[in-house]
Amino acid sequence: MPTYRPDSGQLPTRDAVPDQYRWDLSHICRTWDEWTSSYRELEAAVELFKGRQGTLASGPEALVGAFRAMDLMGALSYRVWYYASLRYDEDQRNNEINARRQQVQILFARQQQAGSWFNPELLAIPLETVRGWMATHPDLALYRFAIESLFHEQEHVLDERGERLLSYASRSGSVSHDSYSALTTADMKPPAVTLGDGELVTLSYGQYRALLETNRNQADRAAAYRAFHQVYADNRNTYAALYNGVLQRDWFHARARGYDSTLQAALHGNNIPTSVVETLIRVTKEGVEPLRRYQRLRRRVLGLDSYRLFDLFIPLVSHDARYAYDEVAPWIVDAVAPLGPDYQQHVREAFAGRWIDVFENDGKRSGAYSAPVYGAHPYMLLNYNETLDAIFTLAHEMGHSMHTLLAHQTQPFVYAGYTIFVAEVPSTLSEALFLDFMLERAQTRDQRAVLLQHAIDSITSTFYTQVMFADFELQAHRLVEQDQPITAEVLSGIYDTLLREYYGDVLDEEPLSSVTWARIPHFFSTPYYVYQYATCFASTARLMQDLRSSDGPTRTAGVGRYLSLLRAGGSGYPMDLLRTAGIDLSQADTVRAVASELDVLVSRLEAELNGA
Ligand SMILES: [Zn+2]
């Protein structure tokens, strides 16, 4: 079988990519005609659902009937949405398919309206009554977690007048973020910088990052960093005012709904205690030594007299290895051997069954994702370019897909989906297993060093940096909760202190670094979100301790608990699901697992680079 390899010169048309590297969407719908009839079916189900309004209080049968009708609409929605959406991603220039995709979005809005009576009507029935029904009706008891969590959410829902008032206020809630986006993208004139070789470079964010990751001339990196951050520094008072708008909005909502703090308001939906975030931040700060050790090693190996934030991303060892997809696919299967033959068989099926859209083509969506298509199987979109990043992305998306597959196979529809709080556990664990596999078979010092550095960089960027961000957000929100002023100076002061607490004296003085907060879009778009990457990472590190154990029974038990976490889907609150998998995020030890892992990796890298 001749191996297809992407041509770095030009993008192929979709037809030029051989079939076996393109996903087979016929498992969702065989034709557009079939899609149209599913669409009509969903449309009819939505209309029919309206007729159930006013029936719930009549008894358990009516309630079960309504839940089942919602499941049916939900399952249909997956097929109708993903067929149009995945087809669109194959070539986003296709207007006809884009129109169909938008048609589904419009139907979804109608579906939401048609079902908007359901939650208030259910919540109007006393919880004790519904619990009585569940005790005598096993069909209804299936929905217990869905019902209980809805009532839990209800604790902070206001009366009708209050909710109406909040809905009016919500219209202005996005103004700060919209202004941030406008100032940062639409109205921002990207700075230009002249490099040492005389080349003039305009710094979009993408170009700026690429320069920091590839340019081996420190003076060029410094110039790019300073030009890029100067723009934020020049507008720092505006950025501070916009961020204050975000903080004030969050505090308004928390207080209006009767929460003690903005953090509590953010975590209540998933039933996560605020101590989880507080412990995460505290323990991470106690475990910064391996991070500093890594940065000192970098400074020495790179031979730099001074070392600043713009020196953190340049690779220690240059590598230009290319990995042909057909060569890598069997590795991905081999790497998950520790998870058992059934799991491996599923991964094999994903490759053989054309679940993956591998290569870039003209018009195809960029990036990578795993799409959880209920009723078919997960699909993965890649833009595989044969780099080290690309093979780890494949391992990552495969982890998401196996989570989807096992959850969909095991759970009833209502619990088949999972929350972001657990979602990045399987993906990062899949990467960790793949790293172990690759390290084992690496032949040379450089190959090992490149892999170790990849693993270390993912810990520093996905864990330490995200916890530092969470720390910043929490401190800023707390200032507002304590009626303290928010100014550019205050925010930069927090950031500066954090940099010192994390990096100690490893980083040399760089005045512009303190304005970094203005550059982080997450702070303005999704407060209290990034910490979830870190908790997932800690969960994975904890699980990997068992999976890497030299003790057979410990390993077997760890694998069993991990697979049951995947099968559990969204059948409980994330903390509870993780606890049954043996992960207790309220324990400092769970968070410490990351620092221990980093410590081991840095020591190995040090040994490789010292030629030991
Ligand atoms: Zn992911």
Side-chain angles (χ1 to χ4, degrees), residues 61-92:
E61 285 82 10
L63 186 53
V64 172
F67 268 120
R68 287 189 176 154
M70 285 197 293
D71 290 352
L72 189 84
M73 285 191 291
L76 264 173
S77 303
Y78 272 93
R79 296 187 101 97
V80 169
W81 166 251
Y82 277 115
Y83 188 70
S85 167
L86 300 184
R87 285 295 302 264
Y88 174 64
D89 287 349
E90 292 174 352
D91 185 350
Q92 298 193 322

PDB file of all heavy atoms in Angstrom, residues 61-92:
ATOM      1  N   GLU A  61     -45.577   9.086  35.455  1.00  0.00           N
ATOM      2  CA  GLU A  61     -45.596   8.639  34.056  1.00  0.00           C
ATOM      3  C   GLU A  61     -45.384   9.815  33.106  1.00  0.00           C
ATOM      4  O   GLU A  61     -44.640   9.719  32.135  1.00  0.00           O
ATOM      5  CB  GLU A  61     -46.921   7.940  33.713  1.00  0.00           C
ATOM      6  CG  GLU A  61     -47.055   6.529  34.269  1.00  0.00           C
ATOM      7  CD  GLU A  61     -47.500   6.519  35.730  1.00  0.00           C
ATOM      8  OE1 GLU A  61     -47.883   7.611  36.244  1.00  0.00           O
ATOM      9  OE2 GLU A  61     -47.455   5.452  36.367  1.00  0.00           O
ATOM     10  N   ALA A  62     -46.062  10.932  33.403  1.00  0.00           N
ATOM     11  CA  ALA A  62     -45.930  12.115  32.543  1.00  0.00           C
ATOM     12  C   ALA A  62     -44.491  12.637  32.570  1.00  0.00           C
ATOM     13  O   ALA A  62     -43.930  13.036  31.538  1.00  0.00           O
ATOM     14  CB  ALA A  62     -46.887  13.208  32.996  1.00  0.00           C
ATOM     15  N   LEU A  63     -43.873  12.613  33.743  1.00  0.00           N
ATOM     16  CA  LEU A  63     -42.503  13.114  33.867  1.00  0.00           C
ATOM     17  C   LEU A  63     -41.528  12.220  33.099  1.00  0.00           C
ATOM     18  O   LEU A  63     -40.682  12.703  32.347  1.00  0.00           O
ATOM     19  CB  LEU A  63     -42.122  13.218  35.353  1.00  0.00           C
ATOM     20  CG  LEU A  63     -40.779  13.868  35.661  1.00  0.00           C
ATOM     21  CD1 LEU A  63     -40.641  15.237  35.016  1.00  0.00           C
ATOM     22  CD2 LEU A  63     -40.577  13.975  37.179  1.00  0.00           C
ATOM     23  N   VAL A  64     -41.665  10.902  33.252  1.00  0.00           N
ATOM     24  CA  VAL A  64     -40.808   9.978  32.502  1.00  0.00           C
ATOM     25  C   VAL A  64     -41.007  10.196  31.003  1.00  0.00           C
ATOM     26  O   VAL A  64     -40.047  10.252  30.235  1.00  0.00           O
ATOM     27  CB  VAL A  64     -41.118   8.498  32.855  1.00  0.00           C
ATOM     28  CG1 VAL A  64     -40.362   7.567  31.926  1.00  0.00           C
ATOM     29  CG2 VAL A  64     -40.764   8.203  34.290  1.00  0.00           C
ATOM     30  N   GLY A  65     -42.261  10.350  30.601  1.00  0.00           N
ATOM     31  CA  GLY A  65     -42.565  10.565  29.185  1.00  0.00           C
ATOM     32  C   GLY A  65     -41.856  11.788  28.645  1.00  0.00           C
ATOM     33  O   GLY A  65     -41.287  11.757  27.553  1.00  0.00           O
ATOM     34  N   ALA A  66     -41.865  12.875  29.429  1.00  0.00           N
ATOM     35  CA  ALA A  66     -41.214  14.111  28.985  1.00  0.00           C
ATOM     36  C   ALA A  66     -39.693  13.916  28.896  1.00  0.00           C
ATOM     37  O   ALA A  66     -39.053  14.358  27.945  1.00  0.00           O
ATOM     38  CB  ALA A  66     -41.551  15.250  29.933  1.00  0.00           C
ATOM     39  N   PHE A  67     -39.105  13.242  29.904  1.00  0.00           N
ATOM     40  CA  PHE A  67     -37.660  12.983  29.867  1.00  0.00           C
ATOM     41  C   PHE A  67     -37.283  12.165  28.629  1.00  0.00           C
ATOM     42  O   PHE A  67     -36.308  12.455  27.945  1.00  0.00           O
ATOM     43  CB  PHE A  67     -37.211  12.237  31.133  1.00  0.00           C
ATOM     44  CG  PHE A  67     -36.759  13.162  32.236  1.00  0.00           C
ATOM     45  CD1 PHE A  67     -37.397  13.177  33.469  1.00  0.00           C
ATOM     46  CD2 PHE A  67     -35.669  14.014  32.046  1.00  0.00           C
ATOM     47  CE1 PHE A  67     -36.976  14.022  34.495  1.00  0.00           C
ATOM     48  CE2 PHE A  67     -35.239  14.860  33.063  1.00  0.00           C
ATOM     49  CZ  PHE A  67     -35.905  14.868  34.286  1.00  0.00           C
ATOM     50  N   ARG A  68     -38.095  11.137  28.344  1.00  0.00           N
ATOM     51  CA  ARG A  68     -37.778  10.288  27.180  1.00  0.00           C
ATOM     52  C   ARG A  68     -37.903  11.062  25.883  1.00  0.00           C
ATOM     53  O   ARG A  68     -37.120  10.876  24.954  1.00  0.00           O
ATOM     54  CB  ARG A  68     -38.693   9.073  27.169  1.00  0.00           C
ATOM     55  CG  ARG A  68     -38.293   8.094  28.256  1.00  0.00           C
ATOM     56  CD  ARG A  68     -39.055   6.802  28.117  1.00  0.00           C
ATOM     57  NE  ARG A  68     -38.602   5.842  29.108  1.00  0.00           N
ATOM     58  CZ  ARG A  68     -39.334   4.859  29.591  1.00  0.00           C
ATOM     59  NH1 ARG A  68     -40.572   4.708  29.170  1.00  0.00           N
ATOM     60  NH2 ARG A  68     -38.832   4.029  30.479  1.00  0.00           N
ATOM     61  N   ALA A  69     -38.894  11.936  25.835  1.00  0.00           N
ATOM     62  CA  ALA A  69     -39.058  12.747  24.624  1.00  0.00           C
ATOM     63  C   ALA A  69     -37.848  13.660  24.437  1.00  0.00           C
ATOM     64  O   ALA A  69     -37.372  13.871  23.321  1.00  0.00           O
ATOM     65  CB  ALA A  69     -40.345  13.562  24.710  1.00  0.00           C
ATOM     66  N   MET A  70     -37.321  14.169  25.560  1.00  0.00           N
ATOM     67  CA  MET A  70     -36.124  15.026  25.456  1.00  0.00           C
ATOM     68  C   MET A  70     -34.914  14.211  25.009  1.00  0.00           C
ATOM     69  O   MET A  70     -34.092  14.686  24.231  1.00  0.00           O
ATOM     70  CB  MET A  70     -35.838  15.713  26.797  1.00  0.00           C
ATOM     71  CG  MET A  70     -36.806  16.866  27.069  1.00  0.00           C
ATOM     72  SD  MET A  70     -36.212  17.968  28.356  1.00  0.00           S
ATOM     73  CE  MET A  70     -36.285  16.899  29.767  1.00  0.00           C
ATOM     74  N   ASP A  71     -34.790  12.997  25.521  1.00  0.00           N
ATOM     75  CA  ASP A  71     -33.688  12.121  25.093  1.00  0.00           C
ATOM     76  C   ASP A  71     -33.744  11.882  23.590  1.00  0.00           C
ATOM     77  O   ASP A  71     -32.725  11.915  22.898  1.00  0.00           O
ATOM     78  CB  ASP A  71     -33.760  10.769  25.812  1.00  0.00           C
ATOM     79  CG  ASP A  71     -33.414  10.883  27.291  1.00  0.00           C
ATOM     80  OD1 ASP A  71     -32.973  11.972  27.709  1.00  0.00           O
ATOM     81  OD2 ASP A  71     -33.587   9.887  28.026  1.00  0.00           O
ATOM     82  N   LEU A  72     -34.964  11.627  23.118  1.00  0.00           N
ATOM     83  CA  LEU A  72     -35.142  11.353  21.698  1.00  0.00           C
ATOM     84  C   LEU A  72     -34.707  12.564  20.865  1.00  0.00           C
ATOM     85  O   LEU A  72     -33.968  12.436  19.885  1.00  0.00           O
ATOM     86  CB  LEU A  72     -36.610  11.039  21.438  1.00  0.00           C
ATOM     87  CG  LEU A  72     -36.908  10.522  20.039  1.00  0.00           C
ATOM     88  CD1 LEU A  72     -36.665   9.027  19.985  1.00  0.00           C
ATOM     89  CD2 LEU A  72     -38.356  10.850  19.639  1.00  0.00           C
ATOM     90  N   MET A  73     -35.144  13.751  21.283  1.00  0.00           N
ATOM     91  CA  MET A  73     -34.749  14.980  20.566  1.00  0.00           C
ATOM     92  C   MET A  73     -33.242  15.162  20.650  1.00  0.00           C
ATOM     93  O   MET A  73     -32.594  15.524  19.671  1.00  0.00           O
ATOM     94  CB  MET A  73     -35.435  16.201  21.185  1.00  0.00           C
ATOM     95  CG  MET A  73     -36.897  16.319  20.838  1.00  0.00           C
ATOM     96  SD  MET A  73     -37.566  17.935  21.314  1.00  0.00           S
ATOM     97  CE  MET A  73     -37.544  17.853  23.079  1.00  0.00           C
ATOM     98  N   GLY A  74     -32.686  14.893  21.829  1.00  0.00           N
ATOM     99  CA  GLY A  74     -31.250  15.064  22.027  1.00  0.00           C
ATOM    100  C   GLY A  74     -30.451  14.163  21.101  1.00  0.00           C
ATOM    101  O   GLY A  74     -29.516  14.598  20.426  1.00  0.00           O
ATOM    102  N   ALA A  75     -30.850  12.885  21.040  1.00  0.00           N
ATOM    103  CA  ALA A  75     -30.120  11.921  20.214  1.00  0.00           C
ATOM    104  C   ALA A  75     -30.207  12.310  18.734  1.00  0.00           C
ATOM    105  O   ALA A  75     -29.219  12.249  18.002  1.00  0.00           O
ATOM    106  CB  ALA A  75     -30.667  10.518  20.439  1.00  0.00           C
ATOM    107  N   LEU A  76     -31.382  12.737  18.304  1.00  0.00           N
ATOM    108  CA  LEU A  76     -31.550  13.184  16.919  1.00  0.00           C
ATOM    109  C   LEU A  76     -30.696  14.427  16.636  1.00  0.00           C
ATOM    110  O   LEU A  76     -30.113  14.568  15.566  1.00  0.00           O
ATOM    111  CB  LEU A  76     -33.021  13.542  16.662  1.00  0.00           C
ATOM    112  CG  LEU A  76     -33.916  12.486  16.036  1.00  0.00           C
ATOM    113  CD1 LEU A  76     -35.357  12.974  16.037  1.00  0.00           C
ATOM    114  CD2 LEU A  76     -33.462  12.179  14.606  1.00  0.00           C
ATOM    115  N   SER A  77     -30.636  15.317  17.630  1.00  0.00           N
ATOM    116  CA  SER A  77     -29.868  16.552  17.465  1.00  0.00           C
ATOM    117  C   SER A  77     -28.410  16.260  17.111  1.00  0.00           C
ATOM    118  O   SER A  77     -27.823  16.941  16.280  1.00  0.00           O
ATOM    119  CB  SER A  77     -29.860  17.385  18.749  1.00  0.00           C
ATOM    120  OG  SER A  77     -31.162  17.683  19.139  1.00  0.00           O
ATOM    121  N   TYR A  78     -27.824  15.262  17.787  1.00  0.00           N
ATOM    122  CA  TYR A  78     -26.427  14.908  17.505  1.00  0.00           C
ATOM    123  C   TYR A  78     -26.226  14.586  16.031  1.00  0.00           C
ATOM    124  O   TYR A  78     -25.306  15.075  15.395  1.00  0.00           O
ATOM    125  CB  TYR A  78     -26.013  13.690  18.346  1.00  0.00           C
ATOM    126  CG  TYR A  78     -25.480  14.037  19.716  1.00  0.00           C
ATOM    127  CD1 TYR A  78     -26.313  14.077  20.826  1.00  0.00           C
ATOM    128  CD2 TYR A  78     -24.121  14.302  19.901  1.00  0.00           C
ATOM    129  CE1 TYR A  78     -25.826  14.374  22.086  1.00  0.00           C
ATOM    130  CE2 TYR A  78     -23.623  14.601  21.159  1.00  0.00           C
ATOM    131  CZ  TYR A  78     -24.478  14.633  22.248  1.00  0.00           C
ATOM    132  OH  TYR A  78     -23.981  14.934  23.489  1.00  0.00           O
ATOM    133  N   ARG A  79     -27.101  13.711  15.500  1.00  0.00           N
ATOM    134  CA  ARG A  79     -26.930  13.290  14.095  1.00  0.00           C
ATOM    135  C   ARG A  79     -27.107  14.470  13.159  1.00  0.00           C
ATOM    136  O   ARG A  79     -26.318  14.684  12.242  1.00  0.00           O
ATOM    137  CB  ARG A  79     -27.977  12.242  13.741  1.00  0.00           C
ATOM    138  CG  ARG A  79     -27.861  10.956  14.501  1.00  0.00           C
ATOM    139  CD  ARG A  79     -28.859   9.956  13.908  1.00  0.00           C
ATOM    140  NE  ARG A  79     -28.176   9.023  13.034  1.00  0.00           N
ATOM    141  CZ  ARG A  79     -27.793   7.807  13.451  1.00  0.00           C
ATOM    142  NH1 ARG A  79     -28.035   7.408  14.671  1.00  0.00           N
ATOM    143  NH2 ARG A  79     -27.169   7.004  12.627  1.00  0.00           N
ATOM    144  N   VAL A  80     -28.183  15.226  13.406  1.00  0.00           N
ATOM    145  CA  VAL A  80     -28.532  16.321  12.493  1.00  0.00           C
ATOM    146  C   VAL A  80     -27.445  17.392  12.523  1.00  0.00           C
ATOM    147  O   VAL A  80     -27.003  17.897  11.496  1.00  0.00           O
ATOM    148  CB  VAL A  80     -29.918  16.903  12.868  1.00  0.00           C
ATOM    149  CG1 VAL A  80     -30.186  18.185  12.124  1.00  0.00           C
ATOM    150  CG2 VAL A  80     -31.010  15.879  12.583  1.00  0.00           C
ATOM    151  N   TRP A  81     -26.978  17.717  13.730  1.00  0.00           N
ATOM    152  CA  TRP A  81     -25.965  18.758  13.855  1.00  0.00           C
ATOM    153  C   TRP A  81     -24.621  18.302  13.292  1.00  0.00           C
ATOM    154  O   TRP A  81     -24.025  18.968  12.454  1.00  0.00           O
ATOM    155  CB  TRP A  81     -25.798  19.190  15.320  1.00  0.00           C
ATOM    156  CG  TRP A  81     -24.553  19.991  15.523  1.00  0.00           C
ATOM    157  CD1 TRP A  81     -23.415  19.598  16.167  1.00  0.00           C
ATOM    158  CD2 TRP A  81     -24.281  21.319  15.036  1.00  0.00           C
ATOM    159  NE1 TRP A  81     -22.466  20.587  16.126  1.00  0.00           N
ATOM    160  CE2 TRP A  81     -22.975  21.655  15.432  1.00  0.00           C
ATOM    161  CE3 TRP A  81     -25.025  22.241  14.287  1.00  0.00           C
ATOM    162  CZ2 TRP A  81     -22.376  22.887  15.120  1.00  0.00           C
ATOM    163  CZ3 TRP A  81     -24.433  23.468  13.963  1.00  0.00           C
ATOM    164  CH2 TRP A  81     -23.138  23.778  14.391  1.00  0.00           C
ATOM    165  N   TYR A  82     -24.154  17.141  13.744  1.00  0.00           N
ATOM    166  CA  TYR A  82     -22.800  16.755  13.368  1.00  0.00           C
ATOM    167  C   TYR A  82     -22.655  16.409  11.893  1.00  0.00           C
ATOM    168  O   TYR A  82     -21.610  16.659  11.312  1.00  0.00           O
ATOM    169  CB  TYR A  82     -22.269  15.635  14.269  1.00  0.00           C
ATOM    170  CG  TYR A  82     -21.707  16.196  15.556  1.00  0.00           C
ATOM    171  CD1 TYR A  82     -22.284  15.911  16.787  1.00  0.00           C
ATOM    172  CD2 TYR A  82     -20.601  17.048  15.535  1.00  0.00           C
ATOM    173  CE1 TYR A  82     -21.771  16.450  17.962  1.00  0.00           C
ATOM    174  CE2 TYR A  82     -20.086  17.590  16.698  1.00  0.00           C
ATOM    175  CZ  TYR A  82     -20.664  17.288  17.910  1.00  0.00           C
ATOM    176  OH  TYR A  82     -20.158  17.821  19.060  1.00  0.00           O
ATOM    177  N   TYR A  83     -23.713  15.837  11.287  1.00  0.00           N
ATOM    178  CA  TYR A  83     -23.553  15.552   9.860  1.00  0.00           C
ATOM    179  C   TYR A  83     -23.299  16.849   9.097  1.00  0.00           C
ATOM    180  O   TYR A  83     -22.356  16.945   8.310  1.00  0.00           O
ATOM    181  CB  TYR A  83     -24.770  14.813   9.293  1.00  0.00           C
ATOM    182  CG  TYR A  83     -24.533  14.350   7.881  1.00  0.00           C
ATOM    183  CD1 TYR A  83     -23.629  13.331   7.631  1.00  0.00           C
ATOM    184  CD2 TYR A  83     -25.178  14.955   6.801  1.00  0.00           C
ATOM    185  CE1 TYR A  83     -23.360  12.911   6.327  1.00  0.00           C
ATOM    186  CE2 TYR A  83     -24.925  14.544   5.494  1.00  0.00           C
ATOM    187  CZ  TYR A  83     -24.010  13.519   5.274  1.00  0.00           C
ATOM    188  OH  TYR A  83     -23.749  13.115   3.979  1.00  0.00           O
ATOM    189  N   ALA A  84     -24.092  17.864   9.362  1.00  0.00           N
ATOM    190  CA  ALA A  84     -23.924  19.144   8.659  1.00  0.00           C
ATOM    191  C   ALA A  84     -22.609  19.814   9.065  1.00  0.00           C
ATOM    192  O   ALA A  84     -21.881  20.348   8.231  1.00  0.00           O
ATOM    193  CB  ALA A  84     -25.105  20.061   8.959  1.00  0.00           C
ATOM    194  N   SER A  85     -22.311  19.762  10.352  1.00  0.00           N
ATOM    195  CA  SER A  85     -21.143  20.475  10.855  1.00  0.00           C
ATOM    196  C   SER A  85     -19.836  19.836  10.377  1.00  0.00           C
ATOM    197  O   SER A  85     -18.894  20.533   9.983  1.00  0.00           O
ATOM    198  CB  SER A  85     -21.236  20.496  12.383  1.00  0.00           C
ATOM    199  OG  SER A  85     -20.028  20.886  12.925  1.00  0.00           O
ATOM    200  N   LEU A  86     -19.765  18.509  10.401  1.00  0.00           N
ATOM    201  CA  LEU A  86     -18.539  17.837   9.963  1.00  0.00           C
ATOM    202  C   LEU A  86     -18.366  17.953   8.446  1.00  0.00           C
ATOM    203  O   LEU A  86     -17.251  18.120   7.953  1.00  0.00           O
ATOM    204  CB  LEU A  86     -18.528  16.369  10.411  1.00  0.00           C
ATOM    205  CG  LEU A  86     -18.596  16.095  11.929  1.00  0.00           C
ATOM    206  CD1 LEU A  86     -18.475  14.607  12.221  1.00  0.00           C
ATOM    207  CD2 LEU A  86     -17.555  16.864  12.712  1.00  0.00           C
ATOM    208  N   ARG A  87     -19.470  17.865   7.735  1.00  0.00           N
ATOM    209  CA  ARG A  87     -19.369  18.059   6.285  1.00  0.00           C
ATOM    210  C   ARG A  87     -18.856  19.469   5.974  1.00  0.00           C
ATOM    211  O   ARG A  87     -18.042  19.670   5.080  1.00  0.00           O
ATOM    212  CB  ARG A  87     -20.740  17.843   5.600  1.00  0.00           C
ATOM    213  CG  ARG A  87     -21.196  16.407   5.473  1.00  0.00           C
ATOM    214  CD  ARG A  87     -20.304  15.575   4.563  1.00  0.00           C
ATOM    215  NE  ARG A  87     -20.184  16.099   3.209  1.00  0.00           N
ATOM    216  CZ  ARG A  87     -20.915  15.698   2.187  1.00  0.00           C
ATOM    217  NH1 ARG A  87     -21.828  14.756   2.350  1.00  0.00           N
ATOM    218  NH2 ARG A  87     -20.746  16.214   0.992  1.00  0.00           N
ATOM    219  N   TYR A  88     -19.337  20.430   6.741  1.00  0.00           N
ATOM    220  CA  TYR A  88     -18.917  21.815   6.536  1.00  0.00           C
ATOM    221  C   TYR A  88     -17.419  21.965   6.800  1.00  0.00           C
ATOM    222  O   TYR A  88     -16.700  22.637   6.053  1.00  0.00           O
ATOM    223  CB  TYR A  88     -19.710  22.735   7.468  1.00  0.00           C
ATOM    224  CG  TYR A  88     -19.262  24.177   7.460  1.00  0.00           C
ATOM    225  CD1 TYR A  88     -19.379  24.942   6.294  1.00  0.00           C
ATOM    226  CD2 TYR A  88     -18.733  24.771   8.592  1.00  0.00           C
ATOM    227  CE1 TYR A  88     -18.970  26.269   6.275  1.00  0.00           C
ATOM    228  CE2 TYR A  88     -18.317  26.096   8.579  1.00  0.00           C
ATOM    229  CZ  TYR A  88     -18.433  26.839   7.416  1.00  0.00           C
ATOM    230  OH  TYR A  88     -18.023  28.145   7.401  1.00  0.00           O
ATOM    231  N   ASP A  89     -16.921  21.313   7.842  1.00  0.00           N
ATOM    232  CA  ASP A  89     -15.504  21.434   8.186  1.00  0.00           C
ATOM    233  C   ASP A  89     -14.573  20.808   7.131  1.00  0.00           C
ATOM    234  O   ASP A  89     -13.397  21.108   7.092  1.00  0.00           O
ATOM    235  CB  ASP A  89     -15.229  20.812   9.567  1.00  0.00           C
ATOM    236  CG  ASP A  89     -15.787  21.695  10.681  1.00  0.00           C
ATOM    237  OD1 ASP A  89     -16.173  22.840  10.387  1.00  0.00           O
ATOM    238  OD2 ASP A  89     -15.829  21.234  11.846  1.00  0.00           O
ATOM    239  N   GLU A  90     -15.129  19.935   6.302  1.00  0.00           N
ATOM    240  CA  GLU A  90     -14.317  19.360   5.223  1.00  0.00           C
ATOM    241  C   GLU A  90     -13.881  20.448   4.237  1.00  0.00           C
ATOM    242  O   GLU A  90     -12.796  20.398   3.677  1.00  0.00           O
ATOM    243  CB  GLU A  90     -15.124  18.311   4.441  1.00  0.00           C
ATOM    244  CG  GLU A  90     -15.440  17.067   5.243  1.00  0.00           C
ATOM    245  CD  GLU A  90     -16.360  16.118   4.479  1.00  0.00           C
ATOM    246  OE1 GLU A  90     -16.869  16.503   3.393  1.00  0.00           O
ATOM    247  OE2 GLU A  90     -16.556  14.992   4.968  1.00  0.00           O
ATOM    248  N   ASP A  91     -14.775  21.404   4.009  1.00  0.00           N
ATOM    249  CA  ASP A  91     -14.473  22.527   3.120  1.00  0.00           C
ATOM    250  C   ASP A  91     -15.379  23.692   3.500  1.00  0.00           C
ATOM    251  O   ASP A  91     -16.539  23.744   3.109  1.00  0.00           O
ATOM    252  CB  ASP A  91     -14.700  22.135   1.657  1.00  0.00           C
ATOM    253  CG  ASP A  91     -14.270  23.265   0.718  1.00  0.00           C
ATOM    254  OD1 ASP A  91     -13.987  24.393   1.211  1.00  0.00           O
ATOM    255  OD2 ASP A  91     -14.208  23.025  -0.501  1.00  0.00           O
ATOM    256  N   GLN A  92     -14.826  24.601   4.266  1.00  0.00           N
ATOM    257  CA  GLN A  92     -15.644  25.680   4.823  1.00  0.00           C
ATOM    258  C   GLN A  92     -16.023  26.740   3.797  1.00  0.00           C
ATOM    259  O   GLN A  92     -16.692  27.710   4.130  1.00  0.00           O
ATOM    260  CB  GLN A  92     -14.920  26.306   6.025  1.00  0.00           C
ATOM    261  CG  GLN A  92     -14.719  25.291   7.142  1.00  0.00           C
ATOM    262  CD  GLN A  92     -14.290  25.909   8.453  1.00  0.00           C
ATOM    263  OE1 GLN A  92     -13.503  26.850   8.476  1.00  0.00           O
ATOM    264  NE2 GLN A  92     -14.787  25.383   9.550  1.00  0.00           N
TER     265      GLN A  92
END
